[in-house]
Amino acid sequence: MPGRTLFDKVWDEHVVGEPAPGVSLLYVDRHLLHDLSGARGLREVQERGLGVRNPALTFATPDHTVSSAPGRNDDTTPRSGQFVRDLRGMCRALGITLFDINDPAQGIVHVIGPELGLTLPGVLLVCGDSHTCTHGGLGALAFGIGSTEVAHVIATQTIRQKKPKRMRVNFEGAMAPGVAAKDLILHLIGRIGAAGGNGHAVEYAGAAIRRMPVEGRMTVCNLSIELGAKIGMVAPDDETYQYLAGRDFAPKGELWDAAVKHWRDLPGDADARFDKDITIDVNAIRPQVTWGTSPEHVVAVDERVPDPGTVSDPDRRKGMEAALDYMDLKPGQPMEGLKVDWVFIGSCTNSRLSDLRAAAAIAEGRKVAEGVHAWIVPGSQAVKRAAEAEGLHQVFRAAGFEWREPGCSMCVAANMEFVPPGMRSVSTSNRNFVGRQGPGARTHLASPAMAAAAAIAGSITDLRKLQG
Amino acid sequence: MEKFESLIALAAPLLRPNIDTDTIIPMELLLTVERKNLGPHALTPLRYAKDGTENPDFVLNRPGYRGARILIAGVNFGCGSSREPAVWALWAAGIRCVIAPSFGDIFFNNCFKNGMLPIVLPQSTVEDLAAAALPGSTFRVDLSTCVITTPAGRRVQFEVDPANREALLTGLDEIGMTLQQDATIAAFERNDRQRRPWIHL
Ligand code: SF4
């Protein structure tokens, strides 16, 4: 028998049956719900006269619609109240643990899962949200599902899936100063395209991943879906176990020892085969920034806006032209120096403590440029507390950033926190789609340090120029 | 769930790559418009100009393509967010079948849960079909034989995973079917409690 990949091993552990040829029924270890779709899924199950099959494995938090304004409540964002109250009511009625709006454990669902130790190596975790792939940074098999699938999981604690193909991306070499996890994954998307991972479960490997702290691995896995892959994973190692030890829902004592022993067998066999195997030279990667309306529209910060005229495929060319028009850019224009109106540092991609530290290192002792609105939205209450304990909030405030409450906020603008039409934003989130940060908003994706540098300079700037 | 057996309808070519679910249905509309009313809002950023008037160049606004029920799309159609309302919006706009070289993985699954047929074909075949989709001409898509017939009578075979095909042809209720497996799930759980006790909180 050929060797198995990390993905294969975790998949195999969860197979309950084969309800149809080529379809596996998989056991779901962790199901996370949020305010945007959670209550709807629960209600659908209830209306069918069914219950939650395993409420103890189901956890909920409001993140998408909640306001990020300091001192917020359910109704600070007018529309949010209904979503939050629906979720709260359903969770109460059905016995599901809810980390409510101002609970000490509230936050973006993909930030709190790992930090509470709900996400563990080898678990199968699903959520009605495409960035569920984030949890793969700890070696979980985690993917986003639609609302019909959410209802299926609630009612049965299982999910029907076809096995995807396997792809490995080896990030070899060392990251240059000023280069972040975000730059590695944006660079990869630029190389193989936003459809490059369609139909695959991706495993990220190589020296740069092994040296990367767990939070960075989560950032890499987070953008798997922007690569077209709904699953991204990193094999667990001592770094992972150190990160998880002692977290609220992580196993303790003997159970912990047994779990670690089990986890040590999860990394793929040396002779495991992948359908696609790609190697990226990390040494050559420079800080990245997107220019268009797909994450594959990305260049290094010292490069220029590409020319659609050089692209032969007419539909791709038209897509690029439409993107340039939407973004109000001209081919050949340098990325550096583009004037910026908004900066958003947050989202499940880049709102963890290490991200805020990287942004604060740039902000420290400097001022946000005049006319720029710069927001810091920590990913969770725990991140916010930890950052405040280090005084990061003071660094940001002194520089003129707003220090806000945890949630998705301007990543998706479901809470009515928009980048105004026509305004240019540098954002640490994961999608630069048309209208994503609000109708007409022009989004450039970048790392936290790059976003902080843009806020200080008032324009897209190579952060390395601000580093000592 | 709605069934899908066969369809004779206008087809509209929309080959731009990477049409994402935020474009298919923007968040603002998803939050404020009821499912059955999403039709006029599908593909809003492409379909309407900034002032809200119809964009005359957009294929579904052009004579001979209005009322198309088949979309011939570019790579990675439906990439991005897991929002099932992307499928609902296309459905409400009358679309029942999308043909593309590749799809966003979550959107692809969501289609089968809602009676929508996504067909994957090689890029060159998709381009041929798009070229054959002249205004006012109808295609036939037959799921029982897995054949697309172009207006000129060319037959193009396609493949759909058997389980997904079955689900569309019969309008399967997957929750009901899985619930019949309850004893198997319970046995898995009992066994798993021994094997991975830290999972079962
Ligand atoms: S932060 Fe953005 S991408 Fe992440 S879960 Fe929230 S809305 Fe989705």
Side-chain angles (χ1 to χ4, degrees), chain A residues 34 36 63-65 108-111 127-132 134 222 225-226 344 346-351 379 407-414 429-431 436, chain B residues 27 81 83:
Chain A
H34 57 79
L36 205 57
D63 55 3
H64 281 67
T65 70
I108 303 172
V109 67
H110 310 311
V111 175
C127 173
D129 186 279
S130 60
H131 290 97
T132 307
T134 313
N222 176 270
I225 188 72
E226 305 331 318
F344 173 67
S347 90
C348 58
T349 312
N350 281 132
S351 63
C408 299
S409 180
M410 229 174 241
C411 168
V412 67
S429 54
N430 41 46
R431 288 189 174 138
R436 172 78 178 185
Chain B
M27 178 58 70
S81 116
R83 59 185 69 166

